[in-house]
Amino acid sequence: MWGGRFDGGPAKIMEEFTPSIDFDQRLATQDVAGSRIHAKMLAIQGIISKIDLDAILNGLATIETELKEGRFEFKRALEDIHLNIESRLAELAGPAAGRLHTARSRNDQVATDFRLWVRAACQRAEEGLEVLQKALFKQASAHVTTIMPGFTHMQSAQPVTFAHHLLAYVEMLARDRGRFADAAKRLNECPLGSAALAGTPFDIDRDYTALGLGFARPMRNSLDGVSARDFALEYLAACTIASTHLSKLAGEIVQWCSPGFGFVRLSDQFTTGSSIMPQKRNPDAAELVRGKTGRVIGDFVALATVVKGLVLAYGTDLQEDKERVFDAADTLEISLAVMAGMFADLAVNTERMRALANAGYPTATDLADWLVREAGKPFREAHHITGTIVKRAEELGVDLDKLPLEEMQAVEPAITEAVLKCLSVEASVAARMSYGGTAPDRVREQIAFWREKLK
Amino acid sequence: MWGGRFDGGPAKIMEEFTPSIDFDQRLATQDVAGSRIHAKMLAIQGIISKIDLDAILNGLATIETELKEGRFEFKRALEDIHLNIESRLAELAGPAAGRLHTARSRNDQVATDFRLWVRAACQRAEEGLEVLQKALFKQASAHVTTIMPGFTHMQSAQPVTFAHHLLAYVEMLARDRGRFADAAKRLNECPLGSAALAGTPFDIDRDYTALGLGFARPMRNSLDGVSARDFALEYLAACTIASTHLSKLAGEIVQWCSPGFGFVRLSDQFTTGSSIMPQKRNPDAAELVRGKTGRVIGDFVALATVVKGLVLAYGTDLQEDKERVFDAADTLEISLAVMAGMFADLAVNTERMRALANAGYPTATDLADWLVREAGKPFREAHHITGTIVKRAEELGVDLDKLPLEEMQAVEPAITEAVLKCLSVEASVAARMSYGGTAPDRVREQIAFWREKLK
Amino acid sequence: MWGGRFDGGPAKIMEEFTPSIDFDQRLATQDVAGSRIHAKMLAIQGIISKIDLDAILNGLATIETELKEGRFEFKRALEDIHLNIESRLAELAGPAAGRLHTARSRNDQVATDFRLWVRAACQRAEEGLEVLQKALFKQASAHVTTIMPGFTHMQSAQPVTFAHHLLAYVEMLARDRGRFADAAKRLNECPLGSAALAGTPFDIDRDYTALGLGFARPMRNSLDGVSARDFALEYLAACTIASTHLSKLAGEIVQWCSPGFGFVRLSDQFTTGSSIMPQKRNPDAAELVRGKTGRVIGDFVALATVVKGLVLAYGTDLQEDKERVFDAADTLEISLAVMAGMFADLAVNTERMRALANAGYPTATDLADWLVREAGKPFREAHHITGTIVKRAEELGVDLDKLPLEEMQAVEPAITEAVLKCLSVEASVAARMSYGGTAPDRVREQIAFWREKLK
Amino acid sequence: MWGGRFDGGPAKIMEEFTPSIDFDQRLATQDVAGSRIHAKMLAIQGIISKIDLDAILNGLATIETELKEGRFEFKRALEDIHLNIESRLAELAGPAAGRLHTARSRNDQVATDFRLWVRAACQRAEEGLEVLQKALFKQASAHVTTIMPGFTHMQSAQPVTFAHHLLAYVEMLARDRGRFADAAKRLNECPLGSAALAGTPFDIDRDYTALGLGFARPMRNSLDGVSARDFALEYLAACTIASTHLSKLAGEIVQWCSPGFGFVRLSDQFTTGSSIMPQKRNPDAAELVRGKTGRVIGDFVALATVVKGLVLAYGTDLQEDKERVFDAADTLEISLAVMAGMFADLAVNTERMRALANAGYPTATDLADWLVREAGKPFREAHHITGTIVKRAEELGVDLDKLPLEEMQAVEPAITEAVLKCLSVEASVAARMSYGGTAPDRVREQIAFWREKLK
C-alpha cells in the first residue's frame, strides 16, 4: 500500500516513480550511436580535442560491447539511459566524458534516440507485415478455385473464392506498410543540436550529425526539435490501424474454427486445450491477437492525451511516450509473427466451405443479373422478380439451382432454361469477371501481381 | 525482428505470446486462498476425503510460504498462475492435488482470483485517496486566510482563499472514494463454482466458498460468472476519473511553480534539475502524474474495446484484462502517494499569491453586488455600470480600490464612500458568506467538517 | 472551406463556433426550474420583492408554455440557453428579470441544469435497461428447456439452456442499473449558489434551492460546484459499460442469424434487405447497436481528455461536456429500445440449436466427471482418459453418446454401462445442478427470482 | 423515454434508428458524380442504351440543381442518400433510372462517395492548416527580435524569440499537412464496380469510372473495396494529431492571456465577457479549440473500435463511420479558421515578455557554456560551478547579469569580466547561432524559408 510505502519517506517513492531506466534502456544502442557521432563532430569542429575524442570513442566502444553481452549494469539512481551511459563513460574515459555533453542536452538526446528507435520500428513493422502477406499469399495461391460463402452482415451474400478473400487482407496490409513507410520518411529529420530548447552557442555542424545517423537533414527549429512527438503518434496510429486489420483477420479465424463454420483447422501449435473440457481445441492465439488491438488503441489514446496537454517546450509528461510506443511495437510485431505462423500451417476444409457457400440463396443476384442482361428488365424490376422466386424456393425447401424451371416461369415467363447455368455457386463465381472480381481468372491476375510484389 | 524469430519455429513464438504467468503471478495469493476454500468445501461435501484435504492444505501452506519468501519458481511452460500452483501442489501433495480441480475450471478460478484482486485494489485506492485528502487538508488548515486569485478561464475572476481551493480537491477525492467503494460492493459476488461455463454436476456448496472468501453471495448465473468483466471496467473507470482529478491538481502545481505565478515551492525531494541548465528546479513528479492520466484512460479504452467484441462465454481476448488493471492500479497508487508527499512539504508563497490576487480587477463583482444591494439596481444594470468603472480604472492604471470615489460617482452618482469597504480582496473574500463560499468563516466550517471525516 | 469563410470576418466564425444554444437548448426545462426556485428563494430571503417575484414567475410560466408548444425562439446571438431564457424573461417581466441574476452566475446555473439533466438521464437509462431485461426475461421464460451449444472461444464447450444464456444478460443489465443508480445518487448535490466560483455576499438559502430541485443537499465547496464534471464522466462510464453489454448481445444476434448458426429469425421489422441481393435479411439493427458502442467509448474518452486538462475553476473547454453526454444518452436509450423490440418478436429455431449443441463432443466433461465421481479417478487422470476416448470417437466419426461401450472400456476398463446415461446433451444439462448452473431446475429458480424482481 | 416510445411499435423506433439520411446527405454531390460516371460507362459498354443514358444524365442534372438550391427533399423513409437520389431519379427519368443500378450496389456506392468526400476533406484540411501557418508566419515576421522566456517544465529555461516560438508551430503544421497529403494519396483508388462484394458479371470498365472520378486507379480487390475503412481511420488519425498541435497552441494563448503572463491581448472579437464579473475578457475561442481536441480523439477511438470488430465484408456497424468523420472534419476546419483569426489580430505585449524572460536565471547555461569555451572546463564541471553561482545570486536577490564579478570569481577564479557580455537575455539569444537555434540571424533564415514555402 502506498500509504505505507510513503511512511518510508518521499525520496524513496520518487526513486520508484521518476526513473525511466527500466524502460528507456531499450534506447541504449541509439544513445551510444548518437554520442559517437556527436563526439566526432565536436572534434571536427575543434570543440573537443582529438585525445578527448579517442577516449570517448574507446569508452563508447567498451559500453557497446558491455551492452551486447548483457554486462552493462543499469542503475535506477542514475534515472535514465543518458545518465547511465554518461556515468559509465566517465569511469572509462575520465574527464573527456565530461566534455561530451558540450552543446547538447538530454532533451535533444532523448528526442534523437527515440526517433532512431521509431524509425527502426517502422522498418520492422513493414517487414513483419510482409511476412504475413506472404503467408496469406501462399494460402491464396493454393485456393484460387476454392469456393466459400461471401458474407455481408454475416449473412450469405454471394459465393467468393478463398483466394479472393485472403487477398483482400494482403491489400489492407499493403496500405499498412505504406503508412509505416510514410511515417519513417516524415520523422527522418534530426533534432540533435537543438540542445535544451534554444540551440547552442557552440559552432556545431548539425548536417554532419544528422547525416551520420542516417537522417535526411537536421530539424529546422530547436523548440520543435525537443518537443515534437507527432512522429510517435503517427507511428502509434499506423500500429492501431494495422491492428484493426489483424483483429478482423483473427476474428475470421475464430469464426472459421467454430463448429457452425468449420472452415479451417489450426495446427496443434496454435491451439490450446481446456483444463476441464478434454475435447477443446481453442484458437487462443487468434483470440489474443484480436484482444490486443484494444491495447494498441489505448496506447494511441494515452499519448495523444499527453501531447494535447502540453505547451512548448519539453515537459516530463512526455516521459510517458516511450512505454506506449514500446508496448505497441512489441504487440504488433509478435501479433504479425503469430498470425503468419498460424496461416503457414492452416488446414482448409474445402468441402465445408463449399457446402455453406450454397446456403441462403447466394446466387439470387445472378438470377437478377440474368433478367437484366437476357430479358432486358430494369435492375429494380429484376430484383423484385427474384425476391419472389427466392420466397418460392424457400417454401419448397430447395436451393435455387434445384427449383423447377416452371416454378420460376410461373413468376416470370421470360425466364428460359438458359438461366439454370447461372445458378450454381461455381457459375456465380466464374461470372464475376469484372476487374477486382472474384472469378478465378481475375484472381489469378492478382496472384500474379502479388507474386511479383512479394518476391 | 519477428520474421527472424519466426524462423525458429512457431512453437517458440507461442511460448512468448500466450503465457500469462509473467503478469498473472500477481494473483498468486488469491489463487491459493481460492484453492484452500474450494478444497475445504469439497471435503465437507464428501467429494474428497479428509486425507486428501490435509495433503492439499499442507501443500498450499508450503506454497504460500514459498511465495512470501520469493522462493516459488514461476514457469512459462506452465502458462498461468493456476497451472503453476497446481503443478507445484502435485509435487507436494501427490495424487490429492489432482482431486482439487474437481468441480472447478480455470475459467471460474481466474474470475474469482481477479475479483479478489480488484476488491483489494479498490480498498487500496480508497486508502491512497484518503492519504492525499489528509495532506491537502493539512495545508488547507494552515491557509484559511491566505488569499490567492480565483481563476476562471485562467483569468482573474474573484479572490479566494487557498484553503478553499484545496478543499475543492478534497471534495473531488471524496467522490472518487465513493466510486471505489461502490465498485467494491457491486463486484462482491463469487463466481467460483461456475466451472467452465455451465456449472457442475458435483454437489458443491457455493455459499460456503463465497462467504469463506469474503464475498456477499455466489453469483446467480454461471455463464455470467466466467465471462463478466464489467467489474474490471468499473474499477478502471473509477481510476480514470480519479486520475483526471490528480491531473488537474498536478497541473495546478506545475503552474504554481512557474515564474509567472510563483505561488509554491516544492521541496528538493520532489523536483529535479537539468543536465544543461544549472538553475532549473523542475516539478517532474507533478508533470509525470499529469502525464500518466493518459495511460489510465488508455487502459480503460483497451479493456472496453476487448469486452465489447466478445459473445458468451469466455474468450482468450479476456486475458488482456489483467495487465490493464494492474497498470492502472500501480499508476494510480503511486501517483496518489507522490502527490501526498508533494503536498506534505510544499512551501506556500503567500505574498506572491496576495499580490496576484489583486491583479485584473477581481473585486468588480463586489462593486456590482454593492450596487444591487445598496443602490437597488437590477443586477444587469449594476453589471453594466461596473464595466464602465473598470474601464476607467484601467485607463488610469489603478486598482479598483485605489480609484478615486469621484471617478466612480461620475459614472454612477448613487455610489457612496461606503463602497470602498467592499473593494479590497480581503473584503471581497470575507463577504462571500454564502454556504460553501470562500469566506474564512465558511471555510472554517468545512475544515471542521473534514477534520471529523478524515480522522 | 474555412479559409474562405474566414474572409467574411472573424466575428462571423465566432458566431458559428462559440454559441452552445444549438445543443444546450435541451437544458431549457431544467433552466426554468432552476430560475423559478432561485427567484422564490431570493424573495423569501428579502433580496427581491414579492412583486418582482410574481413578475418573474409569470414570465417563467409563459416561457415554459412556449417551450412545450415549440414556440420559443432560440437565438444564436444570445449564445446559450441561460441568456436565451433571461432575454425572453426581460421581454415578459421587465426590470424584475434583471434582478433574477442576483447571487448567481452562468457557471453555477449550467452546473445545476446539467446535473438535473444527467440525473434524469440516469433514471431513463435504468428504465430502458429494465425494459430490455423484461424482454429477455420473457424469452427466457419460454426456453427453460431449450438446449443450445454453450461456447467458450466460440468452440463447443458444454450444452446450456437458452434461458440460462439469456439470464446471463439480465444479470449484466442489473449491474448496469446499479451503476446508474449509484451515479444518480452521488451527483445529487446542488451547485446553485456557488455563483461564479467563490460564493456570493447575498444572504441566500442554498438548502431551500437544493431541496426544491430534489437534491439531497447543497454542494459544500463553491469552486468544486462550478467546475466538477466527474458526475458526467461517471454517467458516461456507466453508459460505456452498458454499451459493451449491448454490443455483446447484439453480436450474439448477428451470429445467431448467420447461416452457420441459424438459431433465431428476426421479424421483418428488425431486418432490412439488400439493394442488390434479393434474398438478404440483414440484422441491421443489431449491427448498428454493436457499432454504436464505439461512439459511446469515444464520448467518454473525449470528456475525460477535456477534464484532465483543466485547472480550477471553470474553463470554456467544459462546454464540450454536454454534446458528449447527450450523444451517449441518445445512443444508449434508443439502442436499449431497439434491442428490447428485437427480442420481443424473435423467433427461436430450437431444432437448429439442439442440433449444433451436440457437435464437437460437448459432453466430454460429463464423461470425465463420471470417472471422478463413480470410478474415483483424480480429475486430472479422468481428463486424460476422456481425451483419449474423444479421439477414438473422432476417428470413428460418431458422437460420444453413440460410441460403443467396448471402445470406451478399451481405454478405461472401469467404465460401465451406467456412463451412457450421462452423455446426451439433455443429461449433461440436467446434471449441472450446482447453484447458478444450467440445469432447468436451477434455471427455474432464477426465473422465479427475476419474475419477482422485474414485476 | 424509449420504453414509452417503444409502445408505439418497433417499426417507429427503427425509422429513427437505422436511416442515415440525416447525415449522409452530405454525400449528395459525390453520389451524383458517381452515378453520372457510372451511367456513362454503362452506355459506352453497351449495357444501357444512349436514350436511357440521356434520361439519366438529365435527371441527375436536375437533382444537382435541386441540391444546390436547397430544394431537394430528403426523406427518412428512403433511408440513405443513395435511395433518396435513386428515387428522385425514378420520378425524373422513369424506367431508365432502374437501369442505373445495374452492376453496382449500395456497398460500393457508399465506399466511393465516402472516399471522394474524405479526399476533399484532406484537401480542405491542408488549406486550413496553410491559412493558420500564414497567420503564425505573419506574427513571427514581426517579432524576430522580441524576446520571451523559453520554458521547459513551465520553468524559465533559456530566453527565446517569439518568432522562433511561433515557427515551431509552423513546422508542426507542415507535418500535419504532409499527413493529410499522404492520406489523400493512399485513399485515391476507386471501389466502384466492386458491386455488393464480389464484383459483377457485367462487362464494366472500372478504369473509366475510376479516372473519371479523379482516382488514380480502381481498387484491385472487390471485398476490400466495399469493406475497407482504413482511409477514414487514417484521416481521423491525421485530424487527431493536428488537433493535439492546435490544443498546445490554444493552451499557450490561454496561458499568455493569464495575468501571471500577460504576453498577449486578444481582440474583442475573440474574447467574451462574464455574466457576473464585469472585468472579464475570457479567451473562450482558444479554450474551446483546446477542449475540442478530446472530441476528435474520441472520433478516432469510436471508428477504430468499430472497424476492429468486423469480419469481411460489409456490416452495418460501418454506418457509424460517416458521423465520426464529419464531426472531426467540421471540428478541425473551424478550429483552424478560428485560430488563424485569433492570431491575425493578436496584440503582443513585448515588454511583459521581456520582463519575464529575465526571471529565474535563464542565462545560467550561457555562463556554463562560457566556462567550457573560454576557461576550458569540462561541461559537467562548468555546470556545477554555475549552480553555485546561481545560488549566490539567489541569496543576494539579483539577476545573474547584475551579480558583482567578484562574487563569481569567489566561486571560480577563472571567470573574467568578459563573461558579463554573455549574461543578458539579448546576448543569450544572439549567441544561439547553431542551425535551428533562436538567434535572430538564424530565425531570419527560417523566415526566408517559410516566406518562400507559404507564398
Side-chain angles (χ1 to χ4, degrees), chain A residues 270-291:
Chain A
F270 290 98
T271 46
T272 60
S274 156
S275 64
I276 194 169
M277 294 166 288
Q279 84 284 11
K280 290 295 288 294
R281 302 185 76 254
N282 297 326
D284 289 64
E287 292 174 280
L288 209 44
V289 166
R290 190 174 60 176

PDB file of all heavy atoms in Angstrom, chain A residues 270-291:
ATOM      1  N   PHE A 270      -0.879 -23.901 -32.651  1.00  0.00           N
ATOM      2  CA  PHE A 270      -1.573 -22.635 -32.480  1.00  0.00           C
ATOM      3  C   PHE A 270      -2.933 -22.774 -31.798  1.00  0.00           C
ATOM      4  O   PHE A 270      -3.791 -21.910 -31.921  1.00  0.00           O
ATOM      5  CB  PHE A 270      -1.695 -21.903 -33.815  1.00  0.00           C
ATOM      6  CG  PHE A 270      -0.369 -21.390 -34.288  1.00  0.00           C
ATOM      7  CD1 PHE A 270       0.380 -22.102 -35.214  1.00  0.00           C
ATOM      8  CD2 PHE A 270       0.164 -20.233 -33.748  1.00  0.00           C
ATOM      9  CE1 PHE A 270       1.621 -21.640 -35.620  1.00  0.00           C
ATOM     10  CE2 PHE A 270       1.396 -19.766 -34.146  1.00  0.00           C
ATOM     11  CZ  PHE A 270       2.140 -20.477 -35.085  1.00  0.00           C
ATOM     12  N   THR A 271      -3.125 -23.897 -31.137  1.00  0.00           N
ATOM     13  CA  THR A 271      -4.346 -24.063 -30.358  1.00  0.00           C
ATOM     14  C   THR A 271      -3.947 -24.512 -28.960  1.00  0.00           C
ATOM     15  O   THR A 271      -2.855 -24.993 -28.746  1.00  0.00           O
ATOM     16  CB  THR A 271      -5.257 -25.155 -30.957  1.00  0.00           C
ATOM     17  OG1 THR A 271      -4.440 -26.288 -31.263  1.00  0.00           O
ATOM     18  CG2 THR A 271      -5.950 -24.680 -32.192  1.00  0.00           C
ATOM     19  N   THR A 272      -4.867 -24.371 -28.030  1.00  0.00           N
ATOM     20  CA  THR A 272      -4.615 -24.925 -26.707  1.00  0.00           C
ATOM     21  C   THR A 272      -5.859 -25.665 -26.264  1.00  0.00           C
ATOM     22  O   THR A 272      -6.949 -25.491 -26.824  1.00  0.00           O
ATOM     23  CB  THR A 272      -4.292 -23.835 -25.672  1.00  0.00           C
ATOM     24  OG1 THR A 272      -5.397 -22.955 -25.608  1.00  0.00           O
ATOM     25  CG2 THR A 272      -3.037 -23.086 -26.035  1.00  0.00           C
ATOM     26  N   GLY A 273      -5.676 -26.522 -25.245  1.00  0.00           N
ATOM     27  CA  GLY A 273      -6.799 -27.302 -24.732  1.00  0.00           C
ATOM     28  C   GLY A 273      -7.442 -26.595 -23.555  1.00  0.00           C
ATOM     29  O   GLY A 273      -7.215 -25.430 -23.293  1.00  0.00           O
ATOM     30  N   SER A 274      -8.296 -27.331 -22.867  1.00  0.00           N
ATOM     31  CA  SER A 274      -9.025 -26.802 -21.727  1.00  0.00           C
ATOM     32  C   SER A 274      -8.639 -27.593 -20.492  1.00  0.00           C
ATOM     33  O   SER A 274      -8.389 -28.792 -20.564  1.00  0.00           O
ATOM     34  CB  SER A 274     -10.520 -26.929 -21.987  1.00  0.00           C
ATOM     35  OG  SER A 274     -11.240 -26.947 -20.784  1.00  0.00           O
ATOM     36  N   SER A 275      -8.637 -26.913 -19.337  1.00  0.00           N
ATOM     37  CA  SER A 275      -8.299 -27.611 -18.094  1.00  0.00           C
ATOM     38  C   SER A 275      -9.448 -28.492 -17.643  1.00  0.00           C
ATOM     39  O   SER A 275      -9.304 -29.341 -16.802  1.00  0.00           O
ATOM     40  CB  SER A 275      -7.984 -26.594 -17.001  1.00  0.00           C
ATOM     41  OG  SER A 275      -9.132 -25.828 -16.708  1.00  0.00           O
ATOM     42  N   ILE A 276     -10.623 -28.274 -18.200  1.00  0.00           N
ATOM     43  CA  ILE A 276     -11.784 -29.038 -17.745  1.00  0.00           C
ATOM     44  C   ILE A 276     -12.455 -29.804 -18.874  1.00  0.00           C
ATOM     45  O   ILE A 276     -12.992 -30.876 -18.659  1.00  0.00           O
ATOM     46  CB  ILE A 276     -12.774 -28.093 -17.008  1.00  0.00           C
ATOM     47  CG1 ILE A 276     -13.819 -28.894 -16.230  1.00  0.00           C
ATOM     48  CG2 ILE A 276     -13.423 -27.122 -17.947  1.00  0.00           C
ATOM     49  CD1 ILE A 276     -14.643 -28.044 -15.280  1.00  0.00           C
ATOM     50  N   MET A 277     -12.395 -29.267 -20.096  1.00  0.00           N
ATOM     51  CA  MET A 277     -13.112 -29.904 -21.207  1.00  0.00           C
ATOM     52  C   MET A 277     -12.127 -30.583 -22.145  1.00  0.00           C
ATOM     53  O   MET A 277     -11.440 -29.923 -22.906  1.00  0.00           O
ATOM     54  CB  MET A 277     -13.936 -28.849 -21.942  1.00  0.00           C
ATOM     55  CG  MET A 277     -15.055 -28.293 -21.077  1.00  0.00           C
ATOM     56  SD  MET A 277     -15.774 -26.773 -21.750  1.00  0.00           S
ATOM     57  CE  MET A 277     -14.450 -25.610 -21.454  1.00  0.00           C
ATOM     58  N   PRO A 278     -12.053 -31.917 -22.086  1.00  0.00           N
ATOM     59  CA  PRO A 278     -10.983 -32.625 -22.790  1.00  0.00           C
ATOM     60  C   PRO A 278     -11.048 -32.507 -24.310  1.00  0.00           C
ATOM     61  O   PRO A 278     -10.058 -32.759 -24.978  1.00  0.00           O
ATOM     62  CB  PRO A 278     -11.183 -34.077 -22.339  1.00  0.00           C
ATOM     63  CG  PRO A 278     -12.071 -34.014 -21.130  1.00  0.00           C
ATOM     64  CD  PRO A 278     -12.920 -32.810 -21.318  1.00  0.00           C
ATOM     65  N   GLN A 279     -12.209 -32.149 -24.849  1.00  0.00           N
ATOM     66  CA  GLN A 279     -12.341 -32.156 -26.300  1.00  0.00           C
ATOM     67  C   GLN A 279     -11.924 -30.854 -26.968  1.00  0.00           C
ATOM     68  O   GLN A 279     -11.902 -30.771 -28.195  1.00  0.00           O
ATOM     69  CB  GLN A 279     -13.813 -32.450 -26.668  1.00  0.00           C
ATOM     70  CG  GLN A 279     -14.761 -31.260 -26.667  1.00  0.00           C
ATOM     71  CD  GLN A 279     -15.180 -30.793 -25.270  1.00  0.00           C
ATOM     72  OE1 GLN A 279     -14.638 -31.200 -24.254  1.00  0.00           O
ATOM     73  NE2 GLN A 279     -16.134 -29.891 -25.232  1.00  0.00           N
ATOM     74  N   LYS A 280     -11.614 -29.828 -26.157  1.00  0.00           N
ATOM     75  CA  LYS A 280     -11.449 -28.485 -26.732  1.00  0.00           C
ATOM     76  C   LYS A 280     -10.148 -28.279 -27.509  1.00  0.00           C
ATOM     77  O   LYS A 280      -9.108 -28.771 -27.134  1.00  0.00           O
ATOM     78  CB  LYS A 280     -11.501 -27.441 -25.601  1.00  0.00           C
ATOM     79  CG  LYS A 280     -12.857 -27.266 -24.959  1.00  0.00           C
ATOM     80  CD  LYS A 280     -13.921 -26.715 -25.871  1.00  0.00           C
ATOM     81  CE  LYS A 280     -13.743 -25.260 -26.198  1.00  0.00           C
ATOM     82  NZ  LYS A 280     -13.906 -24.364 -25.070  1.00  0.00           N
ATOM     83  N   ARG A 281     -10.258 -27.527 -28.606  1.00  0.00           N
ATOM     84  CA  ARG A 281      -9.095 -27.031 -29.342  1.00  0.00           C
ATOM     85  C   ARG A 281      -9.344 -25.550 -29.588  1.00  0.00           C
ATOM     86  O   ARG A 281     -10.011 -25.168 -30.548  1.00  0.00           O
ATOM     87  CB  ARG A 281      -8.934 -27.774 -30.679  1.00  0.00           C
ATOM     88  CG  ARG A 281      -8.780 -29.284 -30.492  1.00  0.00           C
ATOM     89  CD  ARG A 281      -8.506 -30.022 -31.799  1.00  0.00           C
ATOM     90  NE  ARG A 281      -7.135 -29.863 -32.245  1.00  0.00           N
ATOM     91  CZ  ARG A 281      -6.765 -29.095 -33.262  1.00  0.00           C
ATOM     92  NH1 ARG A 281      -7.658 -28.428 -33.954  1.00  0.00           N
ATOM     93  NH2 ARG A 281      -5.496 -28.991 -33.593  1.00  0.00           N
ATOM     94  N   ASN A 282      -8.852 -24.723 -28.722  1.00  0.00           N
ATOM     95  CA  ASN A 282      -9.195 -23.306 -28.749  1.00  0.00           C
ATOM     96  C   ASN A 282      -8.205 -22.486 -29.574  1.00  0.00           C
ATOM     97  O   ASN A 282      -7.004 -22.679 -29.455  1.00  0.00           O
ATOM     98  CB  ASN A 282      -9.210 -22.755 -27.321  1.00  0.00           C
ATOM     99  CG  ASN A 282     -10.264 -23.417 -26.473  1.00  0.00           C
ATOM    100  OD1 ASN A 282     -11.333 -23.775 -26.956  1.00  0.00           O
ATOM    101  ND2 ASN A 282      -9.954 -23.613 -25.202  1.00  0.00           N
ATOM    102  N   PRO A 283      -8.724 -21.586 -30.391  1.00  0.00           N
ATOM    103  CA  PRO A 283      -7.839 -20.737 -31.199  1.00  0.00           C
ATOM    104  C   PRO A 283      -7.295 -19.564 -30.380  1.00  0.00           C
ATOM    105  O   PRO A 283      -7.463 -18.401 -30.755  1.00  0.00           O
ATOM    106  CB  PRO A 283      -8.762 -20.272 -32.326  1.00  0.00           C
ATOM    107  CG  PRO A 283     -10.115 -20.220 -31.698  1.00  0.00           C
ATOM    108  CD  PRO A 283     -10.143 -21.316 -30.659  1.00  0.00           C
ATOM    109  N   ASP A 284      -6.643 -19.888 -29.259  1.00  0.00           N
ATOM    110  CA  ASP A 284      -6.154 -18.852 -28.331  1.00  0.00           C
ATOM    111  C   ASP A 284      -5.355 -17.756 -28.997  1.00  0.00           C
ATOM    112  O   ASP A 284      -5.507 -16.578 -28.682  1.00  0.00           O
ATOM    113  CB  ASP A 284      -5.206 -19.462 -27.292  1.00  0.00           C
ATOM    114  CG  ASP A 284      -5.924 -20.318 -26.328  1.00  0.00           C
ATOM    115  OD1 ASP A 284      -6.472 -21.334 -26.790  1.00  0.00           O
ATOM    116  OD2 ASP A 284      -5.960 -19.988 -25.143  1.00  0.00           O
ATOM    117  N   ALA A 285      -4.445 -18.176 -29.857  1.00  0.00           N
ATOM    118  CA  ALA A 285      -3.529 -17.194 -30.427  1.00  0.00           C
ATOM    119  C   ALA A 285      -4.305 -16.149 -31.221  1.00  0.00           C
ATOM    120  O   ALA A 285      -4.050 -14.950 -31.112  1.00  0.00           O
ATOM    121  CB  ALA A 285      -2.496 -17.888 -31.300  1.00  0.00           C
ATOM    122  N   ALA A 286      -5.280 -16.596 -31.993  1.00  0.00           N
ATOM    123  CA  ALA A 286      -6.095 -15.654 -32.763  1.00  0.00           C
ATOM    124  C   ALA A 286      -6.896 -14.757 -31.831  1.00  0.00           C
ATOM    125  O   ALA A 286      -6.997 -13.540 -32.039  1.00  0.00           O
ATOM    126  CB  ALA A 286      -7.024 -16.409 -33.712  1.00  0.00           C
ATOM    127  N   GLU A 287      -7.458 -15.349 -30.796  1.00  0.00           N
ATOM    128  CA  GLU A 287      -8.229 -14.539 -29.846  1.00  0.00           C
ATOM    129  C   GLU A 287      -7.350 -13.486 -29.183  1.00  0.00           C
ATOM    130  O   GLU A 287      -7.765 -12.345 -28.976  1.00  0.00           O
ATOM    131  CB  GLU A 287      -8.831 -15.447 -28.762  1.00  0.00           C
ATOM    132  CG  GLU A 287      -9.915 -16.375 -29.276  1.00  0.00           C
ATOM    133  CD  GLU A 287     -10.361 -17.342 -28.184  1.00  0.00           C
ATOM    134  OE1 GLU A 287      -9.642 -18.357 -27.952  1.00  0.00           O
ATOM    135  OE2 GLU A 287     -11.393 -17.095 -27.572  1.00  0.00           O
ATOM    136  N   LEU A 288      -6.149 -13.886 -28.859  1.00  0.00           N
ATOM    137  CA  LEU A 288      -5.245 -12.965 -28.174  1.00  0.00           C
ATOM    138  C   LEU A 288      -4.837 -11.813 -29.102  1.00  0.00           C
ATOM    139  O   LEU A 288      -4.763 -10.654 -28.685  1.00  0.00           O
ATOM    140  CB  LEU A 288      -4.023 -13.741 -27.689  1.00  0.00           C
ATOM    141  CG  LEU A 288      -3.316 -13.239 -26.434  1.00  0.00           C
ATOM    142  CD1 LEU A 288      -4.283 -12.865 -25.334  1.00  0.00           C
ATOM    143  CD2 LEU A 288      -2.359 -14.319 -25.932  1.00  0.00           C
ATOM    144  N   VAL A 289      -4.588 -12.134 -30.357  1.00  0.00           N
ATOM    145  CA  VAL A 289      -4.279 -11.080 -31.333  1.00  0.00           C
ATOM    146  C   VAL A 289      -5.450 -10.094 -31.398  1.00  0.00           C
ATOM    147  O   VAL A 289      -5.263  -8.879 -31.369  1.00  0.00           O
ATOM    148  CB  VAL A 289      -4.022 -11.683 -32.741  1.00  0.00           C
ATOM    149  CG1 VAL A 289      -4.052 -10.597 -33.811  1.00  0.00           C
ATOM    150  CG2 VAL A 289      -2.694 -12.427 -32.751  1.00  0.00           C
ATOM    151  N   ARG A 290      -6.651 -10.657 -31.452  1.00  0.00           N
ATOM    152  CA  ARG A 290      -7.846  -9.813 -31.517  1.00  0.00           C
ATOM    153  C   ARG A 290      -7.958  -8.936 -30.279  1.00  0.00           C
ATOM    154  O   ARG A 290      -8.231  -7.738 -30.358  1.00  0.00           O
ATOM    155  CB  ARG A 290      -9.071 -10.713 -31.672  1.00  0.00           C
ATOM    156  CG  ARG A 290     -10.349  -9.995 -31.985  1.00  0.00           C
ATOM    157  CD  ARG A 290     -11.478 -10.983 -32.276  1.00  0.00           C
ATOM    158  NE  ARG A 290     -11.738 -11.860 -31.144  1.00  0.00           N
ATOM    159  CZ  ARG A 290     -12.705 -12.764 -31.085  1.00  0.00           C
ATOM    160  NH1 ARG A 290     -13.514 -12.933 -32.136  1.00  0.00           N
ATOM    161  NH2 ARG A 290     -12.882 -13.514 -30.041  1.00  0.00           N
ATOM    162  N   GLY A 291      -7.729  -9.542 -29.126  1.00  0.00           N
ATOM    163  CA  GLY A 291      -7.835  -8.779 -27.877  1.00  0.00           C
ATOM    164  C   GLY A 291      -6.792  -7.689 -27.767  1.00  0.00           C
ATOM    165  O   GLY A 291      -7.049  -6.618 -27.217  1.00  0.00           O
TER     166      GLY A 291
END
